[in-house]
Amino acid sequence: MTTANDLSLLSAKAAAFISGEKALFIDGEWRPAETGETLPVIDPSSGREVGRIAQAGAADVDAAVRAARRGLEDSAWARMRPHRREEIMLRLAELIGAEAQALAEIETVNSGKLISNTRLFDADLSVHTLRYMAGWATKLHGETMDLSVPYLPDVRFNGFTRRFPIGVVAAITPWNVPLCQAVWKLAPVLATGCTLVLKPSEFTSLTALRLAELCDEAGVPPGVVNVVTGVGEVTGKALVEHPGVDKISFTGSTRVGLEIAAQAASTFKSYNLELGGKSPLIIAEDADLEKAIPGAAWAIYGNSGQNCCAGSRALIHARHFDRVVAGVADIAASVRLGPGLDPASMMGPLVRDSHRARVAQHVERARAAGAQVIGGESVDGAGSYFTPAVITGLDHTHPTVQQEIFGPVLCAFAFRDDDEALRIANDTRFGLGASIWTEGLQRANRYFERLKAGTVWINTHNILDLALPFGGTKESGVGFELGREGVFSHTVVRAGVMPVAD
């Protein structure tokens, strides 16, 4: 198979942006890291370096946070009316839409994802996100109420509330959906009048930097959006610990999320954490298998399994277990691995060789425990390719079943009745997503009520919409992104009391 992206297929705009060193975007200006340090940009399809980004240190992060604070408190942005923020967001959506193909190409080379995936879920969905969130800018209303104040019976009072921007938001985004995750963080910031310091993953920073250029072109004032690149242990740590940050919005691993929560609690920062998952996909006795089998396969193999709410645990009624496992295995065997720029590819590489090694280690642990493993092999040669796997015969308490793998690895189990399926489904420290495949309305409602997950899909999986809140329970996170809840989490409520004149 062809493994490496053919970079000659890139548009001139994408090729020009990928090459060369990238600076930090602070206070509306591009500047190198104070130390001059840089990091490589790697194409996962080949393992080759295709560019470099700046490694921001504590001094760079301090400059970015101070710029964001000025933008929040003493700038045209602080005095801007809501409808003007909406206009800027819509203009930014237009600019992203006009560059959607180039942005998708940049993302594919940087992340290893399929070009169809980066176009749909990074570029196009970013446009929809901004358009949806822009409407909230003029709808951040408070409430009024007639107060009782029973201890002052001779005086009437009116009460009212208003929502204000929560302040400077530190956003730290992952590498699996890089551009769209950055826009998910950015859009509610702009809608509510907050300011932002964004740190993208050091693996996939390119589209975040291009996003900063487009923000400037759209008319976002200096200091409102700042982008600092670098590794989490340095740049991310400095950002989380900075006293000038009011809210931390993080998407990533549960391990790092726990560290952020502890640090934020010590300084009373607000935080939103969208963390790991080990989502169950449950195929009931009355499921339509013609839909459930491909649904189960692509719930885990889409985006090479690099999805926080991937359906990584398939719970299958015993009556259908052999047929479903065979059907998913057939789909896995038919998957054509290849570089993201090749339209014939069905699955791209994993993001890095180091991540592939971690995924492979989980599969080897399953083999050592006596599990039956179909697929699950590292591919020799260039690129971080890994064949999709189906694992059966493990106990549901095994680490390979319980820990997030973030790769194309499905663990399958048989169950006899709904109570057993629910018990196994909920027996995990995660609670991000879950799906139930059934033709029965009562069964669907029963699972919806009893599954411990932030999102429960019925006869589908991994479907997100901007109007719905997205978040998890247990160790899958705190708070929500998207929807009204995601917007309001970027505001603080202030209450007012006023006596009513007789």
Side-chain angles (χ1 to χ4, degrees), residues 51-301:
R52 298 194 73 83
I53 58 172
Q55 167 57 59
D60 303 303
V61 169
D62 180 64
V65 174
R66 289 180 183 276
R69 178 62 58 186
R70 289 192 298 272
L72 178 74
E73 296 179 348
D74 186 25
S75 72
W77 184 250
R79 297 181 293 274
M80 188 175 291
R81 294 184 180 183
H83 77 284
R84 285 287 297 121
R85 295 200 306 270
E86 180 181 22
E87 289 171 358
I88 288 174
M89 294 177 70
L90 293 174
R91 174 61 178 152
L92 179 58
E94 290 177 4
L95 293 173
I96 292 174
E99 271 197 35
Q101 185 60 27
L103 287 165
E105 292 171 2
I106 294 167
E107 200 73 279
T108 288
V109 171
N110 198 179
S111 69
K113 295 164 59 177
L114 301 181
I115 188 69
S116 57
N117 188 307
T118 56
R119 177 60 192 261
L120 184 62
F121 294 109
D122 283 288
D124 292 347
L125 192 54
S126 291
V127 174
H128 292 302
T129 299
L130 284 161
R131 287 175 176 164
Y132 171 83
M133 289 289 180
W136 278 106
T138 57
K139 300 170 183 65
L140 300 174
H141 55 77
E143 297 179 315
T144 61
M145 59 209 78
D146 187 10
L147 301 181
S148 296
V149 194
Y151 48 85
L152 292 174
D154 298 327
V155 184
R156 288 183 58 213
F157 292 90
N158 281 341
F160 55 94
T161 62
R162 276 188 62 191
R163 291 187 176 273
F164 292 87
I166 199 168
V168 175
V169 177
I172 301 174
T173 55
W175 43 259
N176 61 325
V177 193
L179 177 60
C180 196
Q181 285 280 356
V183 172
W184 278 18
K185 307 293 188 189
L186 169 67
V189 163
L190 297 180
T192 56
C194 295
T195 57
L196 179 73
V197 181
L198 170 66
K199 193 210 88 68
S201 167
E202 61 269 28
F203 292 167
T204 54
S205 293
L206 290 185
T207 50
L209 294 168
R210 181 59 185 139
L211 178 63
E213 291 182 341
L214 295 175
C215 285
D216 189 44
E217 186 177 345
V220 177
V224 174
V225 174
N226 308 272
V227 180
V228 290
T229 54
V231 298
E233 294 84 352
V234 177
T235 314
K237 185 174 185 292
L239 187 55
V240 167
E241 294 178 352
H242 199 288
V245 168
D246 299 298
K247 174 185 171 73
I248 302 165
S249 181
F250 172 77
T251 300
S253 71
T254 296
R255 177 186 62 81
V256 176
L258 289 169
E259 295 174 2
I260 289 174
Q263 173 60 37
S266 70
T267 54
F268 294 99
K269 289 185 176 74
S270 175
Y271 58 87
N272 184 86
L273 307 174
E274 197 270 281
L275 306 176
K278 197 72 179 180
S279 299
L281 182 146
I282 304 163
I283 299 178
E285 185 175 12
D286 63 346
D288 182 343
L289 298 188
E290 295 302 316
K291 297 176 181 177
I293 290 173
W298 292 110
I300 180 62
Y301 300 143

Side-chain angles (χ1 to χ4, degrees), residues 30-45:
W30 293 96
R31 61 178 79 174
E34 188 171 280
T35 63
E37 292 183 70
T38 61
L39 298 170
V41 176
I42 303 297
D43 175 358
S45 75

Side-chain angles (χ1 to χ4, degrees), residues 389-445:
V390 181
I391 297 176
T392 58
L394 278 181
D395 186 87
H396 78 273
T397 62
H398 189 275
T400 296
V401 180
Q402 289 292 321
Q403 296 175 11
E404 185 176 44
I405 297 176
F406 226 63
V409 179
L410 178 66
C411 296
F413 305 89
F415 67 87
R416 293 178 297 276
D417 56 45
D418 292 337
D419 287 338
E420 183 183 15
L422 284 160
R423 177 179 59 80
I424 296 173
N426 289 331
D427 188 15
T428 171
R429 59 195 178 98
F430 297 111
L432 189 57
S435 65
I436 169 64
W437 297 72
T438 175
E439 294 297 287
L441 181 60
Q442 288 186 340
R443 174 171 276 131
N445 283 329

Side-chain angles (χ1 to χ4, degrees), residues 486-499:
V487 176
F488 283 5
S489 71
H490 289 76
T491 65
V492 290
V493 176
R494 186 174 303 162
V497 178
M498 179 183 298

